[in-house]
Every structure is written in C-alpha cells, then in structure tokens.
Amino acid sequence: MPAFPQAADASTRNTQLRANLRHATHTIRAKRAAAVAELDDWSRLRAAGAAIKDRTLRHLDQYLEQLESAVTAAGGQVHWAADADEANRIVTELVRATGEREVVKVKSMATQEIGLNGALATAGITAYETDLAELIVQLGDDLPSHILVPAIHRNRGEIRDIFTEKMSQWGRPAPEGLTDAPADLAEAARLHLREKFLNAKVGISGANFMVAETGTLVVVESEGNGRMCLTLPETLISVVGIEKVVPTFQDLEVFLQLLPRSSTAERMNPYTSTWTGTTDADGPRAFHLVLLDNGRTDTLADTVGRQALRCIRCSACLNVCPVYERAGGHAYGSAYPGPIGAILTPQLRGTQSELDASLPYASSLCGACYEVCPVAIDIPEILVHLRERVVEGGPASVRGTRTVIKPAKGHAAERAAMRAARWALDHPRLLRTGQRLASRTRRFHPRRLPGPGRAWSDTRELPKVPEESFRDWWQRTRGGSGTGSGTEGRKKTT
Amino acid sequence: MRVALFITCVNDTLYPRTGQAVVTLLERLGVEVGFPEAQSCCGQPQFNTGYRHETEPLLRRYAMAFRDYEYVVTPSGSCAAMVRDNYPRMGAKAAAEGRGQELADAAAEAVPKTYELTEFLTDVLKVTDVGAYYPHTVTYHPTCHGLRMLKLGDRPRSLLAAVKGLNLVELPGAEECCGFGGTFAVKNAAVSAAMGADKARNITATGAEAVCTLDNSCQLHIGGTLARQGSTVRPVHLAEILASTEGDVW
Ligand code: SF4
C-alpha cells in the first residue's frame, strides 16, 4: 500500500468517486444532525457513553474474565486470540471441525481487520458476505471503503453491473434484465442470499457489544440478514475485539441510543439481536466466542491513545470528515478508514510502515470528528499525540511489552527544519533580521516555489511579503513606547 | 487595564495590516495597548506536526513575554486555541515525564488571560457595535479553531451585524474546513488543495466582494486559492473591517 498522500492524490482526481462520496456523506451528515438534535439530553448521553467505556477499559481484565465465565456458564466456549494469525487459525479450525466448506457471515469489522475471508479461502473454505453492501464489495472483488456503508464509493449503475456479471459465479444469478432501481437491486440480493441462509451450517459474526454480567452478545443492523446468520446455522462463531465489553445489560440503554442516531440517523435500529450461549431447541447448537486482542492491549497502555478504544464504530466521524470525503476510504489502507482509522490503525499496527506513519497526518485537525463522536473521542488530540510518536519516537507498548520506539524514517530533514525554525522563533531579533531580508528582496520572490514548497504553489498564489513587518512598524511608529495613534505611518498596501 | 497584543508570526511577517487594525480598533475603544517585543510564535505549527519538545521553549517565551499584562489579545483563533488547549497539555505531559511543574505553571499563568479578539470585544469590553463602517458585501468563513475549539459562537457575526454599511451574505458550507491545517497543506497537498478549491468556489458563488475570517492562516490559504482561480473576492481579517470607519477607510 502507498502512503496516504499518494493514495489520496489519485482519488482526489477521480471525479466520479468524489461525486459519489460527496453526495452520500452530505446526505447522512444532515440526517444525523437532525436525529441528534431531537434529543435534548444528547450531551449527557454522550458523556455517559464515554464514562461507561472509560470505566470498563480501566478494569478490562476483570470484565473480560466475568464475560468468559458468563459465556461458558450459558453453554458457549471462549477462545483468546493475541493477534490476527491466531484468530484466523482458531476460526479455521472451528469451521474444519464441523466438516463444512461454506460459511455465511454477518457484517463485521473485526473479521475485516484480521482478513478472515482470505485466511478461510486459503484453507478451502468459502465465506459468503450477507450484508448488502459487503456483498457488493465481495462480488466486485473490491475492498470496503466505509465502516457502515462499505460500498459507499459505488453508485447504482456500478452495482447493477457487478450483480449481473458476478452473482452467477457465487450462487443464484441475477434476474434477467436487472435495472438499477434500488428495489430491484435489493430483491436480486435477497433471492441470491436466501439460498445461502437456508443451506448454511456455520455462521460467523462480530458483535457491537458484549455484556459481562450475562455473557450476552449484541448485533445491531438494518437489513435483518444478520439475524438470519445468527439464528439459522448450527454453529455460530463470533469474533469480537476485547474492547467491546460493557459491564451490565443496563449499560446498553445508553449505547442503543447513541449508536443508531450517530450512524444511520435512525431513532432505533431496525434489528437488535442478542444471544447468550446456546439454548435448547432454538438457534445454534454450538457457540464460540473468539476474543481478539490484535494490538488492543498496546493501545490500552497508552494513556492518551486509549480513548480510541471507546469507539462504537458508528462512522459519524467519516461522514463529516472533509479529508475522507475527498480521499475516499481505500486511501487509509485498512479496515478502518476516516478519522477513526487515522488514529486506530497506527495504534493497532504500530507506526513502522510508511503507510501507518502517514495516517496521523491525514487530517487538517479541523475538529469536526471530535464534535460528532458519540463517545467524545478527542481525535485531534490523539492525531497530534501519534504524530509525536512518528517524528520523535518515544515510549510505547509493542505486543504487550514497554519499549522505546525509534522515530519513523524519512523525517530527518523536517526535524532539522523544525529545530532551526524554533531556534529563530525563540530569538526575536533574528526573526526580525529574516523578515527584513524578505522585505528587501520581495521583488525577486518567485510566483512558484521549488522543492517541497511546490506542494503549496501548484494550486495557490503566494502572498506578497509586505514592505514592513508589524514588528518594524511598531518600532518605527512607537519606538517601543506603546503609545501613539494606531493609524500613524500606516502604509497602504492594497 | 493592561492589554498586550499577541501579533502572531503570520500576522507579523505576512499580514502586518491585521495587527495595525487591531491597534487602531482597540485604541479607538479607549484601550491602552502594548506590544512586548520578546513575543514570538505560539508554536502551533511545531506542536501540531508532532514536535512537542520543540514547542516548549515557545511556551516559556510566551509566558515570560506577557507576564506583566492582565490581558493578552490576539487576532488569531487558532493561536488562541493553541495557548488555551495545548499549553496545559504540554505542561501536564512535561510534569508526567518527571520534568517538574515549571511548564504547567507557565501554562496556568498564560491560559486565563489569553483572549481571541472577538472574545475580548464581546466578553471583556462588552461591545458589539464598535463604530465601524464598511460599505461592502461580505461573506463570513468561521475558522475551525474559532468554531470548534474556542466555541466563539455568534460573537463574530454579532460584531459584523453591527457594522454600518456592511451587507452580510451567507456562505454555503461555511463550517467546513478550508483545508489549510498548517503543514497539512504541504504534507497532504492534493486533499488540501481540493478542500481549498471547493471553499473558494463557494465563496465566489456568494457574489460577495470580500470574505471575512478570524485567522490570517486561513486567509493565506483561501486568498491564495481564490487568486489562482482568478476570483476577485478579497480575503479580509475581521479586525480590518472593525477598524474601518467613515473617516478612516481600511
Ligand atoms: S470514533 Fe466516534 S464518531 Fe468515529 S466511528 Fe468511532 S464512535 Fe463513531
């Protein structure tokens, strides 16, 4: 994967992509604002959500053990996975043990994160995505580009073409003469998927929440496909990040208000499925919970960055982000795009690769993401914190061990420039000499800059350096005395 | 009332007229202003790019330069936000790293007396009509830091609304970032330019003669983009509008 700026450079030039994204994000952002404005206690709900998550994270070890006993007591089995490889291995073996070669999947960020579908394919097991948008992505041999709407970068025409061309390779073909009307597309998907639901013996899901006291898992969704996957198969395997636990059933009261309004701008999501272990004569006969770490305890060890673990994956931050809107989700190079991706990915994966080191810079720090986040994650604060880790290195937890990491490669010139600039700025007299030099040579300043400055002057004019800096004007008119008329000696420059 | 001006490095070097406008305006309102020459940059570009340690001397310098003043007023929302939001963070981090309380104390001294210009006018001086006259059609771009970090709310608009002769027109997508973001403009040039281009097109479409901001850095980006698009809309700092009177047109 290229670093973010290169990937984004290509997508900003894709006018169709930008039009699709602009339309989709602006529509949902307006709806979200309206849905949130309906509740006059939104700010208190938001604070409550953040507080519950923070308290849980502080005692995460205890809540996870409580969860494990509750799940086991209810007839489920708990597996612990330290990283993606281990999680994929566990799931593959569980599927193999059933003797099945096909599984149906509920849309899940955790399985995207670990690349489960690819790992299963290597083991000869086919995973069918059943969420409409995930289905589009899978049939199109594409990658998701949004947390909630993985195919947000596609328009209806493109979806029709994908269905017509690819459905037959995966099962029931698309109906003859399929149009791009949403109802027709949905019907084609329904018929295609129904076959899968009825035949599947194994279902794989994630979860939005896990309740420690009861061992209950929760999935919220809009289409109902998830519920079919959760209830019809004989074996259910859920892969869930360890940060998804909440202490009590009552805590859901807060999140089931925060999540739908922030994500789909609905007052209540259409389907809320909860399951606790196994039950006689109903639902799956066997239930496995795979608890995924994959960088989460490292994130937890960082006092600033751990806020990111509060995330409930609502995607509100993506929909308001001006950078996401122009760069598109693929530029972030992970399952988590947008502002949350820019802080979560470099924490889960580390900042060693060029791509991961570029992610904390994929923001103008405008603060729109923080403003909409339903659990008040201060995304700009974490971005700056991670930028420090990229350029200066420092203490961090890597695979559970405290260590001091080195600065990322390629920042030496910038670091030297920053030091020189700071030195000049900390010596105002020197600063003034520089300003005067710039004024005196103003006639010779080029309109376009060479080197890194080109990035500025390719699309923007440079300001003219004024004849006199403020500092010199003050000196000349006040002589440092701090008195006199403000207009005295003002040089008209326009 | 001892009031010091914090004329940021961008004001000082590239937009001295903004600083001169603040002086004119405050003196017209009967405020005695000083400009401690030991001041420098607030350190925002360094801090936001990840160079916290390089920013610490600038925090110290800021606290030292303004030590003798009751109020510090700055015509830059982002620099005021830097002082108010990030100086305490820097102090706390230095203390947590076992380097003592010195930076935390310096921050604690600087934060409560630092005001962005419109806050100072409306909250401290308690004026909204500053006696300005500006006979132009103007649209207003609220800057991200003013809007979301300082929560300036309708302060700038109420000041503009009281300006005689000024015709304020709405800017579509006003609350969206212009795409400057300091080093972001260079590190992610394509996205920054795309954001700037959309902002500039929205501004031109309003038919205004001038676009008013609270920050010279946004002005640098918006103005540069407008000029490259061949737009005739002028970027202007709010201070310059407020400094303008019938007798002294800026
Ligand atoms: S960071 Fe906040 S806004 Fe973004 S997806 Fe997570 S919970 Fe939603």
Side-chain angles (χ1 to χ4, degrees), chain A residues 32 35-36 39 41-53 209 251-267 269 310 312 314 316 372-376:
Chain A
R32 185 214 72 99
V36 162
L39 295 185
D41 64 346
W42 183 257
S43 65
R44 294 205 336 259
L45 265 175
R46 184 178 187 243
I52 294 169
K53 283 274 181 180
F209 307 99
D251 295 323
L252 293 176
E253 166 195 11
V254 172
F255 296 108
L256 292 182
Q257 295 183 73
L258 288 174
L259 182 53
R261 283 184 200 258
S262 303
S263 59
T264 47
E266 289 166 310
R267 293 177 179 139
N269 47 281
R310 299 207 294 251
I312 55 174
C314 71
V372 296
C373 177
V375 284

Side-chain angles (χ1 to χ4, degrees), chain A residues 180-315:
Chain A
D180 69 356
D184 285 358
L185 295 174
E187 180 63 9
R190 213 172 67 85
L191 294 170
H192 178 80
L193 289 170
R194 180 125 314 194
E195 209 178 79
K196 303 271 179 281
F197 292 134
L198 294 175
N199 292 327
K201 298 276 183 290
V202 182
I204 296 182
S205 84
N208 295 92
F209 307 99
M210 307 183 284
V211 181
E213 66 172 357
T214 55
T216 304
L217 275 74
V218 185
V219 157
V220 299
E221 44 145 357
S222 303
E223 295 170 3
N225 293 342
R227 177 166 294 178
M228 302 250 225
C229 294
L230 294 165
T231 49
L232 293 175
E234 287 165 10
T235 302
L236 175 60
I237 305 166
S238 302
V239 183
V240 190
I242 51 174
E243 83 283 15
K244 296 266 164 144
V245 68
V246 296
T248 69
F249 212 88
Q250 200 178 357
D251 295 323
L252 293 176
E253 166 195 11
V254 172
F255 296 108
L256 292 182
Q257 295 183 73
L258 288 174
L259 182 53
R261 283 184 200 258
S262 303
S263 59
T264 47
E266 289 166 310
R267 293 177 179 139
M268 177 87 206
N269 47 281
Y271 292 85
T272 304
S273 305
T274 67
W275 66 103
T276 311
T278 54
T279 321
D280 283 339
D282 188 23
R285 313 278 77 224
F287 169 57
H288 297 274
L289 171 60
V290 182
L291 288 171
L292 179 70
D293 184 327
N294 206 31
R296 285 162 175 76
T297 47
D298 292 334
T299 307
L300 187 63
D302 187 300
T303 47
V304 176
R306 73 164 60 134
Q307 293 174 70
L309 296 179
R310 299 207 294 251
C311 177
I312 55 174
R313 313 278 189 261
C314 71
S315 76

Side-chain angles (χ1 to χ4, degrees), chain A residues 1 9 23 29 65 87 109 120 149 166 174 178 218 221 237 255 305-306 334 346 369 378 383 400 440 456 459:
Chain A
M1 270 300 290
D9 190 27
H23 176 72
R29 97 169 55 153
E65 281 176 14
M109 294 308 298
L120 289 174
V149 203
K166 296 287 182 60
L178 179 64
V218 185
E221 44 145 357
I237 305 166
F255 296 108
R306 73 164 60 134
S334 92
C369 48
D378 192 338
L383 286 166
R440 235 171 281 142
W456 176 274
T459 56

